[in-house]
Amino acid sequence: MNDDRYIIFYKPYGVLSQFTKDSPNRSTLKDYIQVADVYPVGRLDWDSEGLLLLTNNGQLQHRLSHPQFGHERTYLVQVERIPDADALQKLQTGVQVQDYRTRPTKVRLLAEEPLLSDRDPPIRFRKNVPTAWLEMTLTEGKNRQVRRMTAAVGFPTLRLVRIAIAHLKLDHLQPGEWRKLTLEEVKLLHILTKSQKKAN
């Protein structure tokens, strides 16, 4: 009998993407998820929020985590100040970050602030410095990549929320909530990893 488990979790700010504590004061996945033997696919930094996929299917976990299997990850990114057309163009075509150049990225400046739960604690607020929201879709997930990209073009990230991994979306989940994937979502995940295998 197939005992594969797949869940998505809305990781709150300040929670580590692991089940073991590295310090007494930090929350981990164990504080929210009581499902045996599931592990995160990739990670979100402790100061990032949003969608985290967890499974006990090691092969699928490996495929989705491996850099060569590029799949889309979409983020809502609040940045300091309002990015101009030049900065947006650089983000879209790729920027130099440390020792690598990022792949082309889908980027759009949002006209309105997205509907998100308040962050606890809230971002630092500077009365004389406006902020803007970007939607960014990447096909790679290097360490702190979104933050490094926006900083490289002069607009530091203040808040970062992952809202989608491929076809999986947060939808109506609130921070700290999780749900099992539907059969259709699981089926599409397996189709995605098989198509990645053929492409590589």
Side-chain angles (χ1 to χ4, degrees):
M1 180 179 170
N2 189 330
D3 192 31
D4 285 350
R5 293 185 283 279
Y6 307 88
I7 65 175
I8 56 173
F9 173 55
Y10 190 149
K11 188 188 88 65
Y13 177 88
V15 176
L16 295 174
S17 296
Q18 60 193 50
F19 284 91
T20 53
K21 282 189 178 291
D22 67 354
S23 74
N25 302 322
R26 289 208 188 188
S27 295
T28 69
L29 300 178
K30 190 175 182 181
D31 297 311
Y32 296 88
I33 300 170
Q34 285 75 47
V35 179
D37 300 325
V38 292
Y39 301 96
V41 176
R43 62 195 292 276
L44 274 176
D45 294 314
W46 72 274
D47 54 352
S48 298
E49 308 158 64
L51 195 157
L52 195 63
L53 170 66
L54 299 97
T55 183
N56 63 342
N57 183 323
Q59 186 176 29
L60 183 132
Q61 184 183 28
H62 169 74
R63 288 207 178 283
L64 287 175
S65 300
H66 198 284
Q68 79 182 68
F69 296 109
H71 58 278
E72 292 192 340
R73 305 164 180 86
T74 302
Y75 302 84
L76 294 176
V77 189
Q78 187 177 18
V79 296
E80 205 170 78
R81 301 184 300 109
I82 316 294
D84 54 20
D86 182 58
L88 296 175
Q89 175 69 17
K90 286 177 180 174
L91 290 172
Q92 289 168 346
T93 55
V95 294
Q96 192 68 30
V97 176
Q98 294 184 325
D99 59 347
Y100 67 93
R101 187 173 182 81
T102 61
R103 292 179 189 167
T105 303
K106 296 176 187 173
V107 182
R108 68 186 182 100
L109 180 63
L110 301 183
E112 297 180 353
E113 184 173 331
L115 291 173
L116 290 171
S117 301
D118 291 337
R119 199 186 82 174
D120 182 22
I123 65 160
R124 66 181 188 273
F125 178 71
R126 293 168 63 186
K127 191 174 180 180
N128 299 320
V129 181
T131 69
W133 282 90
L134 303 174
E135 182 182 273
M136 297 178 61
T137 301
L138 287 67
T139 55
E140 57 186 343
K142 294 183 183 292
N143 185 38
R144 299 184 77 77
Q145 180 172 342
V146 171
R147 294 176 191 278
R148 287 174 173 161
M149 287 176 71
T150 66
V153 296
F155 299 87
T157 292
L158 300 172
R159 187 178 180 190
L160 182 62
V161 184
R162 183 160 63 193
I163 58 170
I165 298 175
H167 59 282
L168 303 176
K169 295 179 172 57
L170 282 178
D171 292 330
H172 303 299
L173 284 180
Q174 296 300 307
E177 294 180 346
W178 62 269
R179 68 167 176 83
K180 294 179 181 178
L181 266 59
T182 65
L183 290 175
E184 183 64 18
E185 286 172 329
V186 172
K187 180 181 174 183
L188 288 171
L189 263 186
H190 285 283
I191 291 171
L192 173 69
T193 56
K194 284 176 183 172
S195 65
Q196 288 171 337
K197 186 177 181 181
K198 289 176 184 175
N200 289 276

